[in-house]
Amino acid sequence: MLSEYINSLPKEGKLSREEEARLWDAYKNEGELEARQKLIEHYQLLVFKEATKYPVQETVLLDLIQEGTVGLMEAAEKFDIEQGVAFSLYAIHRIRGRMLDFLRGKNRKKNFLHCRLHPIRLLKLLIEILCILLFRWQSVDYQ
């Protein structure tokens, strides 16, 4: 499955600035979905490179690629070429964010550190720890 995906990645180099600008114009101003598809396919290699940075099993790697592709599509939707930022620099944050959110979700059951506490419970816990450390109190009454 992974080898099929790798073989489907674009083999040609980067798009020229003119070609990329034309595709963005066609997608953003004229609503051409084919231009959007071509941009996403072209930047799919960025997703693959980011996914391979994580030491995970092949099945998880495929899930990471899928999540990263969703991030890439989100980036394409929100990207504004008028801002003067390269799309790859903009997109990598969404790609990486989707991948990290996925990995955190997979590890949440395995790793206590990824459990999210309600802010009030977390504050109470921190106060109790500080009181124990600073004043050697056994417990703190919050009521």
Side-chain angles (χ1 to χ4, degrees), residues 5 40 43-52 64-72 92 95 99:
Y5 170 77
I40 289 171
Y43 282 101
Q44 192 65 39
L45 188 58
L46 185 64
V47 173
F48 179 72
K49 286 180 180 179
E50 184 64 26
T52 56
L64 277 179
I65 291 168
Q66 183 175 349
E67 287 296 317
T69 302
V70 171
L72 178 63
I92 193 65
I95 293 167
M99 289 179 182

Side-chain angles (χ1 to χ4, degrees), residues 85-121:
V85 176
F87 177 69
S88 59
L89 295 176
Y90 176 79
I92 193 65
H93 297 288
R94 287 207 173 258
I95 293 167
R96 188 177 296 136
R98 288 294 298 219
M99 289 179 182
L100 291 174
D101 286 348
F102 172 78
L103 290 172
R104 284 186 195 115
K106 291 223 33 111
N107 290 331
R108 189 166 288 138
K109 294 176 185 171
K110 298 177 189 173
N111 189 344
F112 175 75
L113 294 176
H114 289 293
C115 293
R116 293 193 178 155
L117 294 175
H118 187 274
I120 300 296
R121 284 185 57 205

Side-chain angles (χ1 to χ4, degrees), residues 75-89:
E77 293 296 319
K78 297 184 183 284
F79 182 65
D80 182 5
I81 197 165
E82 302 299 322
Q83 296 295 320
V85 176
F87 177 69
S88 59
L89 295 176

